[in-house]
Each structure stands twice: as C-alpha cells, then as structure tokens.
Amino acid sequence: MKKSEKETSSNTAEFETEKGEAGSASGSEVLPPEVPKHEIDGIIRKRVYAAMVVGLAPIPLLDLAGITAVQVEMVRALSKRYGVPFRAEAVKAIISGLVGGALPVAFAPVTASLLKFIPLIGWTTAGVSMSLLGGAVTYALGHVFSQHFATGGVLLDFNVEKFRSVFQSKVREGQTVASEMKEEQQASA
C-alpha cells in the first residue's frame, strides 16, 4: 500500500470512529474496550480533588476558569482511556450545555465566585462553597462522560438532553462525595 493510501485509510478510520460508525464488514458497531471501574473512579476522584483545590482560589472568576480547565483535562484523560478522539472545543460546548441546562447549578458557581469580592467573610464562605460545588460538578461530569464513552459514544454524538437528568442526579451525589473527601482530607491533615 502506498503512503498516500495509508494516510487516507487512517484518516477514514479516524473519521468513522469519531462518528461511531467504525465496525466490521457486517456493519456492527465496535464498542470501546472494557475499562475497569476502579481506573475510571481514580481518574474522576483525582480531578474532583483538583477542582476542590482550585475552587479555593481567592481571585473571583479565576476559580471558574481553573475548574473548567480541570474538567476538560479530566474528559481528555477519560477519552484517552476509552480510546475516543478528543476535541477540547467539543468538550467545552458539552460542559456548557450540561451545566447551563441545570439553571440553579449554572448560577451557583458564578455567585459563589463573585462573593469572593466581599472582604474576609465573602472569600471564606465563597471559597468553601466553590470548592465543594466545583468538586460535585466535576464528579458529575466525569460520570456522565464515562457512561457515554462506555456505551460506545464519542464527543460528536453526545446528546446533552439525554444526559441532563443523569448529570443533575450525579451533581447531588457529587456534593455528598465532595463533602466526604473534604472531611477525609481534614482528618488526615
């Protein structure tokens, strides 16, 4: 096979994989390899801790940018583990759709971040709130993307509406998990 034929074949395979249409000659869909739950939990847990730390940043709105960066990096790690092509722009759009669709959840981080403008009390209250909320949203996003990738989904076929209720449920679960992680951290310190 010539070099240009190899490149074309490779590019076609990548495009088909992104569309979720790659498969055998029979047209069957190729599902991603099985990924052990403990590996996925480890990827998510590490980013939840990171989001909680970034949420403590004293500069308003910088914390939001930092948490978003942690979340995008988490999805990059998950997509790599599942063998799914990664596109940061697509991930940011999906995150905006999920978080923006859950209106109370969408305004809570901005409100918590802006409270940091109030000297002393505002920063302390907002820092703790932003830390826990950032961890909870990161937890929820990790589980939503993991569920999507585990069923053979790719970024280009992510349906925000389909996952909105799952996301909201996982945010509530994530609040409990983030609180427990914070308590574990304080107990070990």
Side-chain angles (χ1 to χ4, degrees):
M1 188 183 284
K2 296 178 191 173
K3 183 177 179 181
S4 63
E5 289 178 52
K6 284 183 183 178
E7 288 174 6
T8 303
S9 175
S10 173
N11 290 342
T12 302
E14 181 180 335
F15 177 73
E16 288 174 348
T17 301
E18 287 180 21
K19 289 177 60 181
E21 297 175 359
S24 64
S26 67
S28 64
E29 187 176 330
V30 175
L31 292 176
E34 280 292 316
V35 181
K37 184 178 178 349
H38 73 274
E39 285 185 35
I40 297 306
D41 289 345
I43 289 170
I44 295 169
R45 190 172 181 83
K46 180 178 177 183
R47 278 45 175 217
V48 168
Y49 272 123
M52 291 173 67
V53 169
V54 172
L56 294 172
I59 301 170
L61 302 180
L62 179 63
D63 50 0
L64 284 176
I67 289 171
T68 300
V70 167
Q71 293 166 344
V72 170
E73 193 281 326
M74 174 183 64
V75 176
R76 183 204 54 76
L78 289 170
S79 65
K80 180 178 179 182
R81 186 61 187 94
Y82 280 104
V84 173
F86 175 77
R87 288 207 166 84
E89 303 79 29
V91 172
K92 289 176 188 175
I94 293 167
I95 290 173
S96 293
L98 283 171
V99 175
L103 219 41
V105 174
F107 285 119
V110 174
T111 304
S113 183
L114 292 176
L115 282 174
K116 291 180 180 180
F117 280 118
I118 301 170
L120 193 59
I121 294 174
W123 184 87
T124 304
T125 304
V128 171
S129 297
M130 191 64 185
S131 175
L132 293 175
L133 188 60
V137 170
T138 302
Y139 175 89
L141 288 169
H143 284 280
V144 165
F145 277 98
S146 173
Q147 182 179 344
H148 179 64
F149 294 156
T151 59
V154 295
L155 292 174
L156 295 177
D157 68 1
F158 192 97
N159 182 340
V160 172
E161 291 302 317
K162 176 182 170 187
F163 282 101
R164 185 158 284 135
S165 64
V166 175
F167 172 73
Q168 291 171 343
S169 170
K170 289 293 184 180
V171 168
R172 288 188 292 276
E173 186 179 313
Q175 289 171 326
T176 303
V177 170
S179 293
E180 290 170 358
M181 290 171 71
K182 182 181 178 216
E183 290 171 11
E184 287 174 16
Q185 189 66 24
Q186 288 174 338
S188 68

